[in-house]
């Protein structure tokens, strides 16, 4: 029983069966790493249009425009993160380093929806840049050993970059005068340093309202969750879905609905 209690929360971050929510949905969010649209911009645009979301947060959009989304206001600085909405945008900001030595990890927008203002932060943490063959082990022990060494070489510098990026994002969350919805591609698994620090003080929408598997990245043969939606405690997740019906990217779209938040 003790072992079960220790491991139940880590497991629930990947597989969860929450109860149906009684709160009424007021805000619909789509977060999607579109891989630059290289697998079909028209299909992606048509899909996003069909969702009728209040806010769309894209990662790896590379500054591109997608068909069918012309009526959406667009917040984009570096081309990595893009926020789209049909609602009133009050303020925008790129979360950048003073020395501008690395790609900015996030873009934020304060958006008014149905008379209330929310801060949306679209996150794309520095990627580890693993290719499928780099993480696939075979019967050759020497080759596998070299693969593991190469993986470690990539892990350490990327973790250092993530520490700096997390500090920027945490400051944006903690300084917000509005409820926050933080979403995107974190390039980190649910039991990571990145997850624990960025989710601190926020609620994981999958834990609150998700059912089944949270696996969102499907380029490898094993299940992995690296895409997330978090929110301030005052904004309750009503639903959470990883849409595996579409394959326009190496990520699946993540869709969540929220209540409007406490008064």
């Amino acid at each position: 029983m003790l072992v079960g209690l220790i491991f139940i929360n880590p497991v629930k971050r990947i597989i969860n069966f929450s109860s149906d929510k009684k709160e009424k949905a007021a805000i619909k969010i789509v977060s999607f790493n579109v891989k630059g649209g290289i697998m079909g911009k028209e299909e992606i645009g048509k899909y996003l249009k069909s969702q009728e979301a209040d806010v769309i947060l894209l990662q790896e959009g590379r500054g591109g425009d997608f068909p069918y989304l012309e009526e959406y206001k667009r917040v984009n600085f570096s081309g990595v993160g893009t926020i789209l909405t049909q609602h009133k945008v009050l303020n925008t900001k790129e979360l950048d380093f003073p020395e501008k030595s690395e790609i900015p990890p996030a873009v934020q927008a304060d958006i008014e929806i149905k008379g209330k203002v929310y801060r949306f932060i679209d996150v794309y943490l520095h990627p580890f840049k693993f290719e499928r063959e780099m993480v696939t082990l075979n019967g050759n022990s020497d080759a596998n050993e070299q693969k593991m060494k190469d993986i470690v070489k990539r892990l350490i510098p990327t973790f250092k970059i993530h520490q700096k990026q997390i500090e920027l994002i945490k400051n944006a969350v903690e300084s917000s005068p509005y409820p926050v919805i933080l979403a995107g591609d974190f390039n980190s698994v649910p039991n990571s340093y990145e997850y624990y620090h960025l989710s601190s003080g926020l609620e994981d929408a999958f834990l609150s309202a998700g059912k089944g598997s949270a696996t969102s990245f499907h380029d490898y043969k094993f299940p992995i969750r690296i895409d997330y939606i978090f929110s301030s405690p005052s904004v309750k997740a009503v639903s959470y879905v990883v849409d595996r019906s579409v394959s326009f990217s190496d990520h699946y779209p993540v869709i969540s609905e929220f209540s409007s938040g406490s008064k």
Side-chain angles (χ1 to χ4, degrees), residues 49-178:
K49 170 74 172 179
S50 71
Q51 293 302 309
E52 299 182 343
D54 293 288
V55 180
I56 300 170
L57 302 103
L58 304 180
Q59 302 87 46
E60 288 198 88
R62 300 179 185 173
D65 292 318
F66 291 88
Y68 309 102
L69 300 175
E70 293 82 2
E71 71 273 23
Y72 280 76
K73 302 177 184 71
R74 185 167 171 271
V75 179
N76 176 276
F77 292 92
S78 64
V80 173
T82 302
I83 299 176
L84 299 162
T85 183
Q86 296 187 63
H87 297 280
K88 184 178 180 181
V89 179
L90 302 181
N91 296 292
T92 65
K93 182 180 180 181
E94 185 175 50
L95 305 185
D96 200 359
F97 298 101
E99 63 273 18
K100 299 186 182 296
S101 58
E102 289 138 14
I103 296 174
V107 57
Q108 74 179 40
D110 297 335
I111 301 173
E112 183 178 333
I113 302 175
K114 301 170 185 174
K116 296 194 70 173
V117 181
Y118 306 85
R119 173 163 293 177
F120 291 87
I121 302 177
D122 187 12
V123 174
Y124 180 72
L125 294 187
H126 188 82
F128 289 94
K129 298 181 180 179
F130 291 131
E131 300 296 334
R132 188 184 308 175
E133 59 272 12
M134 294 173 62
V135 297
T136 303
L137 302 181
N138 52 44
N140 188 323
S141 59
D142 290 337
N144 289 342
E145 182 179 353
Q146 185 58 49
K147 283 184 178 183
M148 295 305 297
K149 289 179 180 178
D150 292 340
I151 288 172
V152 172
K153 286 180 182 178
R154 287 176 180 264
L155 287 176
I156 295 173
T158 302
F159 282 141
K160 290 180 179 179
I161 294 173
H162 281 188
Q163 285 182 314
K164 294 170 61 181
Q165 292 181 329
I166 288 168
E167 185 177 350
L168 275 177
I169 296 166
K170 286 288 292 180
N171 286 338
V173 172
E174 293 171 355
S175 64
S176 175
Y178 313 114

Side-chain angles (χ1 to χ4, degrees), residues 187-229:
N187 278 306
S188 305
V189 295
N191 297 325
S192 63
Y193 170 92
E194 292 86 342
Y195 178 96
Y196 284 112
H197 282 74
L198 287 175
S199 66
S200 177
L202 302 175
E203 295 185 354
D204 185 336
F206 176 69
L207 286 180
S208 300
K211 295 181 179 181
S213 170
T215 296
S216 58
F217 181 75
H218 58 88
D219 199 37
Y220 302 158
K221 291 183 179 180
F222 49 87
I224 184 170
R225 181 192 184 196
I226 57 176
D227 301 274
Y228 305 89
I229 300 179

